[in-house]
């Protein structure tokens, strides 16, 4: 069945006649109609590199141009197999909140660093709803560390390089490098979209079998995983709730400690201000006593000198401001007026 889809994939997605479209398109899952055209409409890529389609709202497939037909054909059969088992496959809605982990396409991690910069990824995860459990689906053409020969501006794989049978002088101008290149082999990653659970299952093409041949087994394995995943989600929820309660307890403890310090500070500040008021009043009393003595002294002076002294005492009082003890005391605040305890 897969090979029939693969053979007819180009024809199936590009039939213009409405009368034939239903007959041709029934083999292809609805998510994949026009998918080939969208994937081919790609940004510029290196020769044999992975496609980088301009459109991001596509199914989660990472593939080269050479492996595109097979990737889409496998995706169609897989999605329809899920559908036939009662599990709908779709692209997640924009407000779903589902996570998609970084998908490493390499078959061997090797010694060189890995950088996902510039690699294409879909705008939203492709998901399958299995008994109410939403899981992510990612189909990846794997890559492998490949020896390349540089010949006249191009990088050639070992087999292509040997076929050239270059003369010695051209061999002297050639040099080699290594690069991760697509292999034509597929890997299927089905993962947990729930942020609190780290779980995924991986299937990959082998020399003895292709992913296309084990699709019923894949669907069955995912169905059997639901009980375990439900338990993992419940565990994650309990752990998240425990962390939330712990955070709230720490926050509450911190708030109480801040409140206690604020109460203590209000008591200290109120006491300090009261002491300052008392000290200020004592100083005012001294000044007032000084003014009264001046006025008493002035009463024994000639009238013009007395008036002059009294005028200057009046100016001095205006400079000092109020001398009423009530004004000082009423400006004082109790600890409760300064800060109202929350506990």
């Amino acid at each position: 069945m897969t090979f029939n889809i693969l053979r007819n994939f180009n024809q199936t997605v590009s039939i213009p006649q409405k009368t034939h479209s239903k007959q041709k398109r029934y083999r292809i899952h609805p998510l994949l109609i026009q998918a080939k055209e969208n994937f081919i409409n790609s940004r510029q890529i290196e020769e044999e590199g992975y496609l980088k389609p301009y459109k991001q709202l596509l199914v989660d497939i990472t593939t080269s141009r050479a492996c595109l037909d097979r990737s889409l054909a496998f995706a169609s059969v897989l999605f329809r197999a899920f559908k036939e088992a009662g599990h709908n496959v779709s692209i997640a809605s924009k407000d779903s909140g589902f996570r998609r982990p970084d998908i490493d396409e390499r078959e061997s991690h090797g010694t060189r660093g890995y950088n996902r910069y510039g690699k294409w990824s879909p705008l939203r995860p492709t998901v399958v709803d299995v008994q109410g459990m939403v899981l992510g689906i990612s189909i990846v053409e794997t890559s492998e560390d490949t020896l390349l020969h540089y010949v006249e501006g191009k990088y050639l794989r070992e087999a292509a390089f040997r076929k050239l049978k270059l003369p010695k002088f051209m061999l002297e101008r050639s040099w080699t490098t290594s690069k991760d290149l697509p292999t034509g082999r597929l890997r299927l990653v089905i993962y947990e979209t729930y942020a609190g659970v780290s779980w995924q299952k991986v299937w990959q093409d082998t020399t003895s079998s292709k992913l296309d041949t084990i699709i019923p087994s894949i669907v069955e394995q995912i169905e059997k995983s639901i009980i375990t995943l439900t338990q993992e989600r419940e565990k994650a929820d309990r752990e998240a709730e425990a962390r939330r309660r712990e955070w709230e307890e720490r926050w509450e403890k911190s708030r109480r400690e801040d409140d206690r310090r604020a109460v203590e500070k209000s008591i200290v500040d109120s006491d300090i201000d009261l002491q300052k008021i008392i000290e200020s009043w004592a100083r005012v009393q001294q000044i007032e006593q000084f003014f009264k003595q001046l006025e008493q002294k002035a009463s024994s002076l000639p009238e013009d000198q007395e008036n002059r002294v009294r005028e200057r005492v009046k100016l001095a009082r205006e400079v000092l401001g109020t001398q009423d003890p009530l004004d000082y005391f009423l400006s004082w605040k109790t600890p409760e007026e300064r800060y109202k305890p929350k506990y």
Side-chain angles (χ1 to χ4, degrees), residues 72-336:
L72 293 173
F74 169 70
S76 185
V77 177
L78 176 68
F79 294 173
R80 288 194 293 109
F82 274 122
K83 181 67 175 178
E84 290 167 3
H87 315 310
N88 187 51
V89 178
S90 64
I91 293 177
S93 62
K94 63 180 180 180
D95 57 350
S96 66
F98 295 141
R99 72 175 186 92
R100 177 189 183 272
D102 285 338
I103 306 296
D104 190 343
E105 77 281 352
R106 295 174 299 170
E107 290 189 349
S108 175
H109 290 183
T111 57
R112 290 187 290 125
Y114 179 66
N115 185 3
R116 280 202 55 83
Y117 178 76
K119 296 184 181 296
W120 183 85
S121 59
L123 183 64
R124 302 175 205 155
T126 299
V127 295
V128 56
D129 187 335
V130 183
Q131 301 171 25
M133 185 76 64
V134 180
L135 304 176
I137 300 176
S138 183
I139 298 170
V140 183
E141 179 186 359
T142 61
S143 69
E144 63 181 355
D145 193 21
T146 306
L147 179 67
L148 298 174
H149 295 264
Y150 182 80
V151 179
E152 295 186 334
K154 292 186 177 181
Y155 290 98
L156 302 178
R157 295 182 185 242
E158 182 69 19
F161 177 75
R162 291 185 179 278
K163 289 181 180 179
L164 291 179
K165 298 181 179 180
L166 298 175
K168 184 177 180 181
F169 79 93
M170 291 192 67
L171 290 174
E172 292 174 350
R173 298 177 186 175
S174 176
W175 48 276
T176 61
T177 186
S178 292
K179 188 179 295 186
D180 286 313
L181 291 181
T183 63
R185 296 184 288 272
L186 294 184
R187 175 186 294 160
L188 170 65
V189 181
I190 297 184
Y191 58 89
E192 173 62 90
T193 58
Y194 193 66
V197 180
S198 178
W199 176 93
Q200 64 179 223
K201 288 187 75 69
V202 179
W203 297 265
Q204 186 167 314
D205 283 341
T206 65
T207 54
S208 59
S209 67
K210 301 292 185 182
L211 287 179
D212 318 69
T213 64
I214 61 170
I215 287 177
S217 174
I218 292 172
V219 174
E220 183 180 356
Q221 289 181 58
I222 292 301
E223 290 174 334
K224 290 181 178 179
S225 299
I226 296 304
I227 294 177
T228 301
L229 281 174
T230 301
Q231 295 171 346
E232 288 294 321
R233 286 195 180 186
E234 292 172 351
K235 178 183 176 183
D237 287 340
R238 290 194 299 270
E239 292 175 348
E241 178 62 20
R243 289 193 299 270
R244 186 190 64 79
R245 287 197 302 268
E246 182 182 354
W247 180 87
E248 287 183 346
E249 289 171 1
R250 289 199 305 268
W251 175 243
E252 180 68 12
K253 183 179 179 181
S254 175
R255 282 169 55 87
R256 287 181 178 275
E257 185 64 22
D258 290 343
D259 183 69
R260 182 188 63 78
R261 285 195 292 265
V263 170
E264 292 177 353
K265 186 176 185 299
S266 69
I267 294 172
V268 171
D269 290 346
S270 180
D271 180 68
I272 291 174
D273 280 359
L274 184 58
Q275 293 295 330
K276 287 181 179 179
I277 289 172
I278 294 172
E279 292 172 1
S280 297
W281 174 238
R283 178 172 174 273
V284 166
Q285 289 290 76
Q286 291 177 350
I287 294 172
E288 183 61 26
Q289 186 66 28
F290 171 70
F291 287 156
K292 285 181 179 180
Q293 289 179 4
L294 285 175
E295 289 174 335
Q296 289 175 1
K297 292 274 186 183
S299 61
S300 61
L301 296 173
E303 184 177 355
D304 59 336
Q305 291 184 5
E306 179 184 358
N307 291 338
R308 184 182 176 190
V309 170
R310 290 185 183 279
E311 183 66 25
R312 294 190 68 80
V313 169
K314 179 182 177 181
L315 291 172
R317 281 197 171 103
E318 290 176 355
V319 170
L320 291 174
T322 181
Q323 303 300 309
D324 189 342
L326 289 178
D327 290 340
Y328 286 91
F329 186 70
L330 290 176
S331 66
W332 172 72
K333 294 182 179 180
T334 66
E336 290 76 13

Side-chain angles (χ1 to χ4, degrees), residues 35-36 38-40 42-43 45-46 48-53 58-75 100 105 116 119-122 138-143 181-187:
K36 181 172 182 177
N38 288 322
F39 272 98
I40 291 176
S42 167
R43 294 172 177 83
I45 59 174
E46 296 179 358
E48 298 188 73
Y50 289 100
L51 294 172
K52 300 177 183 179
L58 294 172
V59 289
D60 192 348
I61 296 177
T62 303
T63 181
S64 66
R65 177 65 182 87
C67 196
L68 177 60
D69 283 343
R70 188 192 165 212
S71 298
L72 293 173
F74 169 70
R100 177 189 183 272
E105 77 281 352
R116 280 202 55 83
K119 296 184 181 296
W120 183 85
S121 59
S138 183
I139 298 170
V140 183
E141 179 186 359
T142 61
S143 69
L181 291 181
T183 63
R185 296 184 288 272
L186 294 184
R187 175 186 294 160

